[in-house]
Amino acid sequence: MVETTQPGAQLFRLCERWQGSLDQRIRALAVDHASLRQLCDRLERIADRLPHLPEMEEKQAVSRELRILVPRHQQQEQALLAMLFPGADGTALRRCVLGRIRGQHALDELHARDLGGQLDAAVPGALAGDAEALGYMLRCFFDGYRRALAFEELAILTLARARLSPATVAILSASLEADPQA
């Protein structure tokens, strides 16, 4: 058994296997968040260079990543949240925060598909007036997604801190500190 506690929080006795699995999932989450933040950086560079588009290969790679990384990450994160917070009970704060994360996931996936479609359809030299619209879509997505990633990490740190090992808290804290733009 592993005992974890926080000042003012109740004591949780967790089996070492469960704790190890949780730590592994949190590490995977931090790696996913780093990859998604890198994707946001690439989207920001594209927006900064408009009306000039990246090479076809880069444009297709970014579009593919939007369609693959965002939904895959959200599935993995939902599994982690279900592990951390089983059942529908809990405080009103917990229910509200987890509901917000689920709702944000649905919107992010929709926006990622829409943005990927716009990138696929964008033709060099034919952007003219559409460059502003594409730039707006890009900036809305990467800015909002960075904030969503930070919110998810803060939510886990806040709602599950008593269940997290010190190493896991350090991983999440480092991930938050690594993105000053969020």
Side-chain angles (χ1 to χ4, degrees), residues 18-82:
W18 186 90
Q19 188 69 52
S21 177
L22 175 63
D23 288 351
Q24 184 178 26
R25 286 180 184 225
I26 299 265
R27 281 192 297 277
L29 175 83
V31 168
D32 273 358
H33 280 199
S35 296
L36 289 163
R37 285 182 172 111
Q38 288 173 353
L39 175 60
C40 288
D41 292 345
R42 289 170 72 189
L43 294 169
E44 186 171 17
R45 284 192 297 276
I46 291 171
D48 289 345
R49 291 190 299 239
L50 288 174
H52 304 290
L53 290 170
E55 296 295 323
M56 182 64 75
E57 298 81 27
E58 170 69 2
K59 196 172 64 126
Q60 289 173 338
V62 168
S63 177
R64 187 174 43 254
E65 285 183 36
L66 280 167
R67 291 189 176 116
I68 293 171
L69 290 180
V70 171
R72 184 192 75 203
H73 163 70
Q74 291 172 351
Q75 290 171 352
Q76 291 173 343
E77 189 169 75
Q78 287 302 331
L80 170 64
L81 293 175

Side-chain angles (χ1 to χ4, degrees), residues 81-165:
L81 293 175
M83 178 185 188
L84 273 171
F85 310 110
D89 59 339
T91 67
L93 173 65
R94 185 173 101 187
R95 288 190 309 272
C96 180
V97 168
L98 296 177
R100 183 180 192 279
I101 290 172
R102 281 191 296 278
Q104 189 64 49
H105 281 172
L107 288 173
D108 290 339
E109 191 169 345
L110 176 65
H111 292 153
R113 278 195 311 249
D114 288 348
L115 184 54
Q118 287 298 314
L119 286 170
D120 287 341
V123 178
L127 270 180
D130 291 338
E132 241 180 81
L134 180 58
Y136 182 76
M137 283 182 75
L138 286 161
R139 291 186 191 287
C140 285
F141 181 83
F142 67 71
D143 186 51
Y145 208 71
R146 284 175 177 149
R147 283 194 312 265
L149 295 172
F151 181 82
E152 293 162 5
E153 292 166 353
L154 285 169
I156 292 169
L157 277 168
T158 302
L159 298 175
R161 190 169 202 118
R163 297 179 182 189
L164 303 177
S165 70

